[in-house]
Amino acid sequence: MVDYKSIGLVNTKDMFARAVDGGYAIPAFNFNNLEQLQAIITASSELKSPVILQVSKGARNYANATLLRYLAEGAVQYAKELGCNHPEIVLHLDHGDTFELCKSCVDMGFSSVMIDGSSLPYEENIALTKKVVEYAHKYDVSVEAELGVLAGVEDEVSAAESHYTKPEEVIDFSTRSGCDSLAISIGTSHGAYKFTPEQCTRDPQTGRLVPPPLAFDILAEVETKLPGFPIVLHGSSSVPEEYVDIINKYGGNLPNAVGIPEEQLRKASKSAVCKINIDSDSRLAYTAGVRETLALHPDYFDPRQYGKVARNYMIDLYKHKITNVLGSDNKLANLD
């Protein structure tokens, strides 16, 4: 049993409470490799932002659970080396699909887990979430649950269409399950193709796809029923055009990739939404850096040569999100 506190991690409870009160959101960045982890810690440490390191089931299998535990400990020490004396770093399981997986993560030092029973019948979702909560809370580990279904594809998570969260269910669900935060569905979506062209309009000047707006009326109703309760948005990458353009310029093929407009995410960040998940944007920045570097330098074969460029692209991306979208810069409990 690894106690997450012994390796310097924190759970989400305090940072979420401050975020709700302060009208900003905590960045939840997924990572799959060393460059992503370095970029996340560099950006969050320099900007003094709390941060959630998210790991999906697939990413955990890819990294190895034991190595991941030490990567998390290393991340805390790296933040301190960068001058962030009191980092607030969460290691979080994203879209856990079984009790056994969540238990394994708790036992291996995760400070937060998500149990995603959103595809199950309502009562089964409550029962599964409650079981995870009862175990995780023994070790002061935070638990995120999901109510409603997001469309799109990301790792093992896949759904053809979204089902908005029903506001009338949120009080009953959160009370009976005991979850610490709740992911809701208001129109965000997983992946780099969050909407089909048929769901969008086109900007007459640029020809770019313009996605439909998020259902802020549902969010407002959820806030009314659960005042102050931490709300989470999944599938909230913006799919930046500059990275898509670089990828396509240097041999990629990402037609009609479109994400959530940043102005909508800024609006959500000022509400009870205190955690916003971003994954695809980082993948796009990484891939853009790799494709561009190898195209411009076909003689390169050292992974560090293109990995460094990809890492710098991601650092820029994370800093932009923290400062200009989520507003979590300089929000550590202790800025000394």
Side-chain angles (χ1 to χ4, degrees), residues 49-94:
S49 171
V51 71
I52 298 171
L53 299 173
Q54 292 204 149
V55 182
S56 67
K57 175 183 176 182
R60 187 171 184 251
N61 291 337
Y62 182 81
N64 176 271
T66 301
L67 282 174
L68 193 57
R69 168 252 189 275
Y70 289 100
L71 284 173
E73 184 174 6
V76 174
Q77 297 306 314
Y78 183 40
K80 293 179 179 179
E81 288 179 11
L82 292 172
C84 185
N85 297 323
H86 304 282
E88 293 179 51
I89 299 173
V90 174
L91 181 62
H92 174 75
L93 171 66
D94 190 23

Short mmCIF file of all heavy atoms in Angstrom, two decimals, residues 49-94:
data_model
loop_
_atom_site.label_atom_id
_atom_site.label_comp_id
_atom_site.label_asym_id
_atom_site.label_seq_id
_atom_site.Cartn_x
_atom_site.Cartn_y
_atom_site.Cartn_z
N SER A 49 0.46 27.05 -10.36
CA SER A 49 -0.90 26.54 -10.49
C SER A 49 -1.02 25.15 -9.89
O SER A 49 -0.15 24.31 -10.11
CB SER A 49 -1.29 26.48 -11.98
OG SER A 49 -2.53 25.80 -12.16
N PRO A 50 -2.11 24.87 -9.15
CA PRO A 50 -2.41 23.48 -8.82
C PRO A 50 -2.61 22.72 -10.12
O PRO A 50 -3.01 23.30 -11.13
CB PRO A 50 -3.71 23.57 -8.02
CG PRO A 50 -3.85 25.00 -7.64
CD PRO A 50 -3.16 25.80 -8.69
N VAL A 51 -2.35 21.42 -10.11
CA VAL A 51 -2.50 20.67 -11.35
C VAL A 51 -2.87 19.22 -11.05
O VAL A 51 -2.51 18.66 -10.01
CB VAL A 51 -1.20 20.72 -12.19
CG1 VAL A 51 -0.08 19.89 -11.54
CG2 VAL A 51 -1.44 20.28 -13.62
N ILE A 52 -3.65 18.65 -11.95
CA ILE A 52 -4.05 17.26 -11.86
C ILE A 52 -3.40 16.48 -12.99
O ILE A 52 -3.62 16.79 -14.17
CB ILE A 52 -5.58 17.11 -11.92
CG1 ILE A 52 -6.23 17.83 -10.73
CG2 ILE A 52 -6.00 15.64 -11.95
CD1 ILE A 52 -7.74 17.94 -10.82
N LEU A 53 -2.57 15.51 -12.63
CA LEU A 53 -1.98 14.61 -13.60
C LEU A 53 -2.95 13.45 -13.82
O LEU A 53 -3.20 12.66 -12.91
CB LEU A 53 -0.65 14.06 -13.09
CG LEU A 53 0.45 15.07 -12.79
CD1 LEU A 53 1.64 14.36 -12.14
CD2 LEU A 53 0.90 15.77 -14.07
N GLN A 54 -3.50 13.38 -15.02
CA GLN A 54 -4.50 12.36 -15.29
C GLN A 54 -3.91 11.19 -16.07
O GLN A 54 -3.14 11.39 -17.00
CB GLN A 54 -5.66 12.95 -16.10
CG GLN A 54 -6.49 13.92 -15.34
CD GLN A 54 -7.90 14.07 -15.89
OE1 GLN A 54 -8.81 14.33 -15.11
NE2 GLN A 54 -8.11 13.91 -17.17
N VAL A 55 -4.31 10.00 -15.67
CA VAL A 55 -3.83 8.78 -16.31
C VAL A 55 -5.04 7.91 -16.61
O VAL A 55 -5.79 7.55 -15.70
CB VAL A 55 -2.84 8.02 -15.41
CG1 VAL A 55 -2.33 6.78 -16.12
CG2 VAL A 55 -1.68 8.92 -15.00
N SER A 56 -5.22 7.57 -17.85
CA SER A 56 -6.30 6.65 -18.21
C SER A 56 -5.87 5.21 -17.94
O SER A 56 -4.69 4.94 -17.68
CB SER A 56 -6.66 6.80 -19.69
OG SER A 56 -5.57 6.36 -20.50
N LYS A 57 -6.80 4.32 -18.02
CA LYS A 57 -6.49 2.89 -17.87
C LYS A 57 -5.45 2.47 -18.90
O LYS A 57 -4.48 1.77 -18.57
CB LYS A 57 -7.78 2.08 -18.04
CG LYS A 57 -7.59 0.57 -18.03
CD LYS A 57 -8.93 -0.12 -18.28
CE LYS A 57 -8.79 -1.64 -18.38
NZ LYS A 57 -10.11 -2.27 -18.66
N GLY A 58 -5.61 2.93 -20.14
CA GLY A 58 -4.67 2.57 -21.19
C GLY A 58 -3.29 3.16 -20.96
O GLY A 58 -2.28 2.50 -21.18
N ALA A 59 -3.24 4.41 -20.49
CA ALA A 59 -1.96 5.05 -20.22
C ALA A 59 -1.24 4.37 -19.06
O ALA A 59 -0.01 4.23 -19.07
CB ALA A 59 -2.16 6.53 -19.92
N ARG A 60 -1.99 3.93 -18.07
CA ARG A 60 -1.39 3.23 -16.93
C ARG A 60 -0.78 1.90 -17.37
O ARG A 60 0.33 1.54 -16.96
CB ARG A 60 -2.44 3.01 -15.84
CG ARG A 60 -1.89 2.44 -14.52
CD ARG A 60 -2.96 2.46 -13.45
NE ARG A 60 -2.47 2.02 -12.17
CZ ARG A 60 -2.80 0.86 -11.59
NH1 ARG A 60 -3.64 0.04 -12.19
NH2 ARG A 60 -2.31 0.52 -10.41
N ASN A 61 -1.49 1.21 -18.22
CA ASN A 61 -0.95 -0.04 -18.75
C ASN A 61 0.30 0.21 -19.59
O ASN A 61 1.26 -0.55 -19.56
CB ASN A 61 -2.01 -0.77 -19.58
CG ASN A 61 -3.14 -1.31 -18.73
OD1 ASN A 61 -2.99 -1.54 -17.53
ND2 ASN A 61 -4.29 -1.52 -19.35
N TYR A 62 0.26 1.29 -20.35
CA TYR A 62 1.38 1.64 -21.22
C TYR A 62 2.62 1.99 -20.41
O TYR A 62 3.74 1.61 -20.74
CB TYR A 62 0.98 2.83 -22.10
CG TYR A 62 2.00 3.28 -23.11
CD1 TYR A 62 2.15 2.62 -24.32
CD2 TYR A 62 2.80 4.40 -22.85
CE1 TYR A 62 3.08 3.05 -25.25
CE2 TYR A 62 3.73 4.84 -23.78
CZ TYR A 62 3.87 4.16 -24.98
OH TYR A 62 4.79 4.59 -25.90
N ALA A 63 2.43 2.73 -19.32
CA ALA A 63 3.56 3.21 -18.53
C ALA A 63 4.10 2.16 -17.58
O ALA A 63 5.30 2.13 -17.29
CB ALA A 63 3.14 4.45 -17.74
N ASN A 64 3.23 1.32 -17.05
CA ASN A 64 3.50 0.36 -15.97
C ASN A 64 3.17 1.03 -14.63
O ASN A 64 3.63 2.14 -14.33
CB ASN A 64 4.94 -0.15 -15.96
CG ASN A 64 5.21 -1.07 -14.75
OD1 ASN A 64 5.59 -0.59 -13.69
ND2 ASN A 64 4.99 -2.35 -14.92
N ALA A 65 2.35 0.36 -13.85
CA ALA A 65 1.83 0.93 -12.61
C ALA A 65 2.94 1.29 -11.63
O ALA A 65 2.88 2.32 -10.94
CB ALA A 65 0.85 -0.04 -11.97
N THR A 66 3.98 0.46 -11.54
CA THR A 66 5.07 0.74 -10.61
C THR A 66 5.88 1.95 -11.05
O THR A 66 6.19 2.85 -10.25
CB THR A 66 6.00 -0.48 -10.48
OG1 THR A 66 5.23 -1.61 -10.03
CG2 THR A 66 7.13 -0.21 -9.50
N LEU A 67 6.22 2.01 -12.33
CA LEU A 67 6.95 3.17 -12.83
C LEU A 67 6.15 4.45 -12.63
O LEU A 67 6.70 5.50 -12.30
CB LEU A 67 7.27 2.98 -14.31
CG LEU A 67 8.44 2.06 -14.66
CD1 LEU A 67 8.54 1.88 -16.17
CD2 LEU A 67 9.75 2.61 -14.10
N LEU A 68 4.85 4.35 -12.82
CA LEU A 68 3.99 5.52 -12.69
C LEU A 68 4.03 6.10 -11.28
O LEU A 68 4.05 7.32 -11.10
CB LEU A 68 2.56 5.13 -13.06
CG LEU A 68 1.56 6.26 -13.29
CD1 LEU A 68 2.03 7.20 -14.38
CD2 LEU A 68 0.21 5.66 -13.68
N ARG A 69 4.06 5.23 -10.30
CA ARG A 69 4.13 5.69 -8.92
C ARG A 69 5.39 6.53 -8.68
O ARG A 69 5.36 7.56 -8.01
CB ARG A 69 4.08 4.47 -7.99
CG ARG A 69 4.43 4.74 -6.52
CD ARG A 69 5.80 4.15 -6.22
NE ARG A 69 6.12 4.18 -4.80
CZ ARG A 69 6.66 5.22 -4.18
NH1 ARG A 69 6.90 6.33 -4.85
NH2 ARG A 69 6.94 5.17 -2.89
N TYR A 70 6.51 6.09 -9.26
CA TYR A 70 7.75 6.83 -9.08
C TYR A 70 7.82 8.07 -9.97
O TYR A 70 8.47 9.06 -9.59
CB TYR A 70 8.95 5.91 -9.32
CG TYR A 70 9.11 4.91 -8.21
CD1 TYR A 70 8.66 3.61 -8.34
CD2 TYR A 70 9.68 5.28 -6.98
CE1 TYR A 70 8.78 2.69 -7.31
CE2 TYR A 70 9.80 4.38 -5.94
CZ TYR A 70 9.34 3.08 -6.10
OH TYR A 70 9.45 2.18 -5.07
N LEU A 71 7.17 8.04 -11.11
CA LEU A 71 7.06 9.25 -11.93
C LEU A 71 6.31 10.34 -11.18
O LEU A 71 6.68 11.52 -11.24
CB LEU A 71 6.35 8.94 -13.25
CG LEU A 71 7.16 8.21 -14.32
CD1 LEU A 71 6.25 7.83 -15.49
CD2 LEU A 71 8.31 9.08 -14.81
N ALA A 72 5.26 9.95 -10.46
CA ALA A 72 4.50 10.93 -9.68
C ALA A 72 5.35 11.52 -8.57
O ALA A 72 5.34 12.75 -8.34
CB ALA A 72 3.25 10.27 -9.10
N GLU A 73 6.10 10.68 -7.88
CA GLU A 73 6.99 11.18 -6.83
C GLU A 73 8.05 12.09 -7.44
O GLU A 73 8.37 13.16 -6.88
CB GLU A 73 7.64 10.01 -6.11
CG GLU A 73 8.52 10.43 -4.94
CD GLU A 73 9.04 9.25 -4.13
OE1 GLU A 73 8.81 8.10 -4.55
OE2 GLU A 73 9.66 9.50 -3.09
N GLY A 74 8.57 11.70 -8.59
CA GLY A 74 9.56 12.53 -9.27
C GLY A 74 8.99 13.86 -9.71
O GLY A 74 9.69 14.89 -9.68
N ALA A 75 7.73 13.86 -10.10
CA ALA A 75 7.08 15.10 -10.54
C ALA A 75 7.04 16.11 -9.40
O ALA A 75 7.26 17.32 -9.62
CB ALA A 75 5.68 14.81 -11.05
N VAL A 76 6.75 15.65 -8.20
CA VAL A 76 6.71 16.54 -7.04
C VAL A 76 8.09 17.15 -6.78
O VAL A 76 8.23 18.36 -6.55
CB VAL A 76 6.21 15.79 -5.79
CG1 VAL A 76 6.31 16.68 -4.55
CG2 VAL A 76 4.77 15.31 -5.99
N GLN A 77 9.12 16.31 -6.83
CA GLN A 77 10.47 16.81 -6.58
C GLN A 77 10.94 17.73 -7.70
O GLN A 77 11.63 18.73 -7.46
CB GLN A 77 11.43 15.62 -6.43
CG GLN A 77 11.13 14.73 -5.24
CD GLN A 77 11.04 15.50 -3.93
OE1 GLN A 77 11.89 16.35 -3.64
NE2 GLN A 77 10.01 15.23 -3.15
N TYR A 78 10.55 17.42 -8.93
CA TYR A 78 10.91 18.27 -10.07
C TYR A 78 10.28 19.65 -9.93
O TYR A 78 10.92 20.67 -10.20
CB TYR A 78 10.46 17.59 -11.36
CG TYR A 78 10.83 18.32 -12.63
CD1 TYR A 78 12.06 18.94 -12.78
CD2 TYR A 78 9.93 18.37 -13.70
CE1 TYR A 78 12.40 19.60 -13.95
CE2 TYR A 78 10.26 19.03 -14.88
CZ TYR A 78 11.50 19.64 -15.01
OH TYR A 78 11.82 20.29 -16.17
N ALA A 79 9.03 19.69 -9.49
CA ALA A 79 8.37 20.98 -9.28
C ALA A 79 9.14 21.83 -8.26
O ALA A 79 9.31 23.04 -8.44
CB ALA A 79 6.93 20.76 -8.80
N LYS A 80 9.62 21.19 -7.22
CA LYS A 80 10.38 21.92 -6.21
C LYS A 80 11.71 22.41 -6.78
O LYS A 80 12.16 23.53 -6.46
CB LYS A 80 10.61 21.03 -4.99
CG LYS A 80 9.32 20.71 -4.24
CD LYS A 80 9.58 19.80 -3.05
CE LYS A 80 8.27 19.50 -2.30
NZ LYS A 80 8.49 18.59 -1.15
N GLU A 81 12.34 21.59 -7.62
CA GLU A 81 13.58 22.02 -8.27
C GLU A 81 13.36 23.25 -9.14
O GLU A 81 14.26 24.08 -9.31
CB GLU A 81 14.15 20.89 -9.12
CG GLU A 81 14.74 19.74 -8.33
CD GLU A 81 15.26 18.64 -9.23
OE1 GLU A 81 15.35 18.86 -10.47
OE2 GLU A 81 15.56 17.54 -8.72
N LEU A 82 12.16 23.36 -9.70
CA LEU A 82 11.83 24.49 -10.56
C LEU A 82 11.43 25.74 -9.77
O LEU A 82 11.06 26.75 -10.36
CB LEU A 82 10.69 24.10 -11.51
CG LEU A 82 11.04 23.05 -12.57
CD1 LEU A 82 9.79 22.61 -13.33
CD2 LEU A 82 12.08 23.59 -13.54
N GLY A 83 11.50 25.65 -8.45
CA GLY A 83 11.22 26.81 -7.62
C GLY A 83 9.82 26.87 -7.06
O GLY A 83 9.44 27.87 -6.42
N CYS A 84 9.04 25.81 -7.26
CA CYS A 84 7.70 25.75 -6.68
C CYS A 84 7.81 24.99 -5.36
O CYS A 84 7.78 23.75 -5.33
CB CYS A 84 6.74 25.04 -7.65
SG CYS A 84 5.03 25.03 -7.11
N ASN A 85 7.95 25.71 -4.27
CA ASN A 85 8.28 25.08 -2.99
C ASN A 85 7.14 24.27 -2.40
O ASN A 85 7.36 23.34 -1.63
CB ASN A 85 8.72 26.16 -1.99
CG ASN A 85 9.98 26.86 -2.43
OD1 ASN A 85 10.88 26.25 -2.99
ND2 ASN A 85 10.05 28.17 -2.19
N HIS A 86 5.90 24.63 -2.76
CA HIS A 86 4.74 23.93 -2.19
C HIS A 86 3.78 23.53 -3.31
O HIS A 86 2.65 24.05 -3.40
CB HIS A 86 4.03 24.82 -1.17
CG HIS A 86 4.92 25.29 -0.06
ND1 HIS A 86 5.27 24.48 1.00
CD2 HIS A 86 5.55 26.49 0.14
CE1 HIS A 86 6.08 25.16 1.81
NE2 HIS A 86 6.26 26.37 1.31
N PRO A 87 4.20 22.60 -4.16
CA PRO A 87 3.34 22.22 -5.28
C PRO A 87 2.09 21.48 -4.80
O PRO A 87 2.11 20.82 -3.76
CB PRO A 87 4.23 21.28 -6.11
CG PRO A 87 5.20 20.71 -5.11
CD PRO A 87 5.45 21.83 -4.13
N GLU A 88 1.03 21.64 -5.56
CA GLU A 88 -0.20 20.89 -5.30
C GLU A 88 -0.47 20.04 -6.54
O GLU A 88 -1.00 20.52 -7.54
CB GLU A 88 -1.37 21.83 -5.03
CG GLU A 88 -1.22 22.62 -3.74
CD GLU A 88 -2.39 23.57 -3.52
OE1 GLU A 88 -3.55 23.13 -3.58
OE2 GLU A 88 -2.14 24.77 -3.30
N ILE A 89 -0.06 18.78 -6.45
CA ILE A 89 -0.14 17.86 -7.58
C ILE A 89 -1.00 16.68 -7.21
O ILE A 89 -0.79 16.04 -6.17
CB ILE A 89 1.26 17.38 -8.00
CG1 ILE A 89 2.13 18.57 -8.43
CG2 ILE A 89 1.16 16.36 -9.15
CD1 ILE A 89 3.58 18.21 -8.69
N VAL A 90 -1.98 16.39 -8.03
CA VAL A 90 -2.87 15.25 -7.85
C VAL A 90 -2.54 14.21 -8.91
O VAL A 90 -2.31 14.55 -10.08
CB VAL A 90 -4.35 15.68 -8.02
CG1 VAL A 90 -5.28 14.47 -7.99
CG2 VAL A 90 -4.74 16.69 -6.95
N LEU A 91 -2.48 12.96 -8.53
CA LEU A 91 -2.39 11.86 -9.49
C LEU A 91 -3.77 11.22 -9.55
O LEU A 91 -4.25 10.67 -8.55
CB LEU A 91 -1.34 10.84 -9.08
CG LEU A 91 -1.15 9.67 -10.06
CD1 LEU A 91 -0.70 10.16 -11.43
CD2 LEU A 91 -0.16 8.64 -9.48
N HIS A 92 -4.39 11.29 -10.71
CA HIS A 92 -5.81 10.95 -10.86
C HIS A 92 -6.03 9.90 -11.93
O HIS A 92 -5.48 9.98 -13.03
CB HIS A 92 -6.58 12.23 -11.22
CG HIS A 92 -8.03 12.03 -11.54
ND1 HIS A 92 -8.97 11.79 -10.56
CD2 HIS A 92 -8.71 12.04 -12.73
CE1 HIS A 92 -10.17 11.67 -11.13
NE2 HIS A 92 -10.03 11.81 -12.44
N LEU A 93 -6.84 8.91 -11.61
CA LEU A 93 -7.27 7.92 -12.60
C LEU A 93 -8.44 8.49 -13.39
O LEU A 93 -9.47 8.85 -12.83
CB LEU A 93 -7.70 6.62 -11.91
CG LEU A 93 -8.38 5.59 -12.82
CD1 LEU A 93 -7.40 5.05 -13.87
CD2 LEU A 93 -8.98 4.45 -12.00
N ASP A 94 -8.29 8.54 -14.69
CA ASP A 94 -9.32 9.07 -15.58
C ASP A 94 -10.14 7.91 -16.15
O ASP A 94 -9.59 6.97 -16.71
CB ASP A 94 -8.65 9.87 -16.70
CG ASP A 94 -9.62 10.67 -17.54
OD1 ASP A 94 -10.72 10.98 -17.05
OD2 ASP A 94 -9.27 11.00 -18.69
#
